[in-house]
Amino acid sequence: MKIIELKEVFSTQDYIKKYISEKKEKIFVFAEKQIKGKGRGNRLFYSPVGGLYFSFYLPDIEDEKHIFLITSVSAFTFIEEKVKEFNLKPYIRIPNDIMINKKKVCGILIEKSENKFICGIGINVNTTFFPSDLKEASSLYLLTGKKFNLKKFKKDIIEKIEEISSLTYEALYKRYSENITISKKIEFLYDNQIFRGVLNEIKNDFVISVSINDKVLDFPLFEIFNFREIDE
Ligand code: BTN
């Protein structure tokens, strides 16, 4: 396993690409701060000092849904364990934001480069301040009042990803499904159309069931875009 620790970088997602070779080696790239942290949908991910920002590559995982589950369940479980003592319960906002009390504490980005999946996780750990346009963002520090040890976090998250990636696909899918928010009013774009309804459940193979007016419709999770939860 190769572990690279940087002080500052544009984005760990781009940096890791030059280390991914044909060698079957796991790689982790951490940065204390990112100048242009990448978010989903061409957005930026606010990445000041105090957060945990890293990208990783697992050479043995070649299936997109599998890597999606490993990444989401690892980030979720890691955060769940860290905030347990504060009686906080995180949940997954589909597709893969980790939320606590309606605040986003972690974002996940998976990109494909030369047929390889690069996973990026950004956890707002000790961040004390967010710009006013990031209304839904928060940090573990702001939610718990505790400053966490980032050095220990790096070691623990690597161990967590190792542990979670040894689980079966079925076990990962179960854990993912059990921790997403259902009964929420949602809005998303599918097939160039905007849909609004209530998320009923996630079925097998990433199909979500949504009640729209008096109908129940199924949508493939990976084909919906601009997903958001609507507050009532
Ligand atoms: C999102 O919520 O839109 C996804 C955010 C992903 C952020 C992480 S931080 C580490 C890695 N490097 C990046 O540039 N982005 C990901």
Side-chain angles (χ1 to χ4, degrees):
M1 181 186 299
K2 189 194 275 300
I3 301 172
I4 299 170
E5 296 180 75
L6 307 167
K7 272 215 157 322
E8 188 175 294
V9 70
F10 268 72
S11 160
T12 55
Q13 287 291 103
D14 294 333
Y15 191 91
I16 197 172
K17 285 178 191 158
K18 57 181 170 215
Y19 287 94
I20 295 173
S21 61
E22 292 314 311
K23 260 206 302 180
K24 287 227 157 211
E25 187 178 32
K26 293 178 189 167
I27 309 172
F28 284 81
V29 174
F30 292 90
E32 285 178 24
K33 151 183 197 182
Q34 297 183 114
I35 297 165
K36 271 201 165 166
K38 293 203 286 193
R40 284 195 313 270
N42 284 331
R43 286 183 291 265
L44 289 176
F45 188 78
Y46 180 59
S47 314
V49 170
L52 185 70
Y53 317 109
F54 66 102
S55 297
F56 63 97
Y57 168 65
L58 303 178
D60 293 332
I61 316 290
E62 289 166 1
D63 175 69
E64 186 162 16
K65 289 175 180 166
H66 195 185
I67 197 74
F68 171 90
L69 287 173
I70 290 174
T71 309
S72 313
V73 173
S74 297
F76 169 77
T77 310
F78 176 79
I79 293 171
E80 185 185 45
E81 289 173 5
K82 295 295 182 193
V83 300
K84 207 166 161 184
E85 59 173 303
F86 301 92
N87 287 328
L88 294 172
K89 175 77 186 123
Y91 52 93
I92 303 172
R93 179 175 68 183
I94 60 169
N96 54 6
D97 288 333
I98 312 298
M99 312 287 292
I100 299 177
N101 292 347
K102 295 190 179 170
K103 295 285 187 188
K104 175 165 167 173
V105 293
C106 167
I108 295 174
L109 175 70
I110 300 174
E111 294 179 300
K112 199 170 186 179
S113 167
E114 291 171 29
N115 254 0
K116 298 181 168 77
F117 292 110
I118 295 171
C119 308
I121 301 183
I123 307 179
N124 302 327
V125 182
N126 295 327
T127 319
T128 51
F129 163 86
F130 290 91
S132 57
D133 56 320
L134 297 180
K135 287 196 180 52
E136 62 164 29
S138 191
S139 69
L140 303 188
Y141 165 68
L142 292 173
L143 290 161
T144 63
K146 175 179 169 177
K147 289 261 179 166
F148 294 86
N149 180 335
L150 285 171
K151 198 168 170 214
K152 178 155 177 17
F153 263 41
K154 285 184 197 167
K155 183 177 157 286
D156 292 351
I157 190 76
I158 294 175
E159 278 173 22
K160 187 54 65 189
I161 291 169
E162 295 268 72
E163 176 197 321
I164 296 290
S165 53
S166 70
L167 297 177
T168 62
Y169 184 92
E170 290 69 29
L172 290 168
Y173 194 79
K174 182 166 183 285
R175 195 149 164 71
Y176 174 77
S177 314
E178 283 169 353
N179 289 290
I180 62 166
T181 34
I182 53 162
S183 308
K184 274 273 176 194
K185 208 160 180 200
I186 56 173
E187 183 186 273
F188 53 90
L189 192 66
Y190 173 71
D191 206 12
N192 287 323
Q193 243 185 292
I194 294 176
F195 290 87
R196 239 174 246 119
V198 175
L199 178 61
N200 295 326
E201 60 168 331
I202 181 158
K203 299 180 168 179
N204 277 336
D205 205 21
F206 294 97
V207 169
I208 56 166
S209 149
V210 184
S211 293
I212 299 176
N213 300 325
D214 51 354
K215 287 199 197 104
V216 177
L217 300 177
D218 286 349
F219 298 88
L221 181 60
F222 292 119
E223 289 171 38
I224 67 177
F225 299 97
N226 297 359
F227 175 89
R228 63 186 193 98
E229 278 177 359
I230 309 171
D231 261 336
E232 283 157 299

